[in-house]
Amino acid sequence: HVQLVESGGGRVQPGGSLRLSCAASGFTFSTRCMGWFRQAPGKEREWVAAIYGRGGSTDYADSVKGRFTISQDNAKNTLYLQMNSLISEDSAMYYCAASGPVYSSSWRRNQGTYNYWGQGTQVTVS
């Protein structure tokens, strides 16, 4: 069955960096739209970044563009989120998510595109 397991979260000072990982199993990694989302206490879950298509196209929320980088290692079936220049507003639970085998890349920012979710990893910037 499909499983997504995030790791790499923790506490970091403002301006610091973290790299999140998401180990995927149960599906062919490169055929899906993969995304990172986050949810801070009292706020709705928001989309952060996505990687999709055979060429590994990427897209970012304006709030993280230029600071975060999404990437994937198809051989390892692992998704990454490199987060640099972290600010307090980046503090949240971060989730990776995977679409089904058929998806519309036009909806890559929409939570409904993603069928599978990890359990989350906490990032605290303070």
Side-chain angles (χ1 to χ4, degrees):
H1 68 285
V2 174
Q3 188 172 19
L4 301 171
V5 180
E6 302 97 334
S7 61
R11 180 180 295 274
V12 64
Q13 292 184 344
S17 299
L18 281 175
R19 188 177 82 156
L20 305 184
S21 299
C22 173
S25 60
F27 63 94
T28 304
F29 193 70
S30 60
T31 64
R32 308 296 176 101
C33 180
M34 301 295 297
W36 285 100
F37 289 77
R38 66 186 182 186
Q39 187 169 22
K43 295 187 177 181
E44 294 185 353
R45 187 162 57 185
E46 64 173 354
W47 171 77
V48 174
I51 186 166
Y52 58 97
R54 294 284 182 181
S57 298
T58 58
D59 189 20
Y60 299 92
D62 287 344
S63 59
V64 307
K65 195 173 295 182
R67 301 188 298 121
F68 290 12
T69 302
I70 188 172
S71 63
Q72 63 186 32
D73 185 329
N74 292 339
K76 295 183 179 180
N77 252 29
T78 301
L79 180 73
Y80 302 101
L81 185 68
Q82 177 67 44
M83 306 187 295
N84 299 329
S85 302
L86 285 161
I87 59 178
S88 59
E89 289 81 1
D90 295 320
S91 296
M93 185 72 78
Y94 282 72
Y95 301 90
C96 74
S99 72
V102 178
Y103 66 92
S104 172
S105 62
S106 298
W107 292 92
R108 59 189 177 271
R109 300 186 175 197
N110 190 292
Q111 294 187 45
T113 293
Y114 301 88
N115 301 94
Y116 307 100
W117 296 81
Q119 82 290 347
T121 186
Q122 179 69 41
V123 171
T124 303
V125 184
S126 67

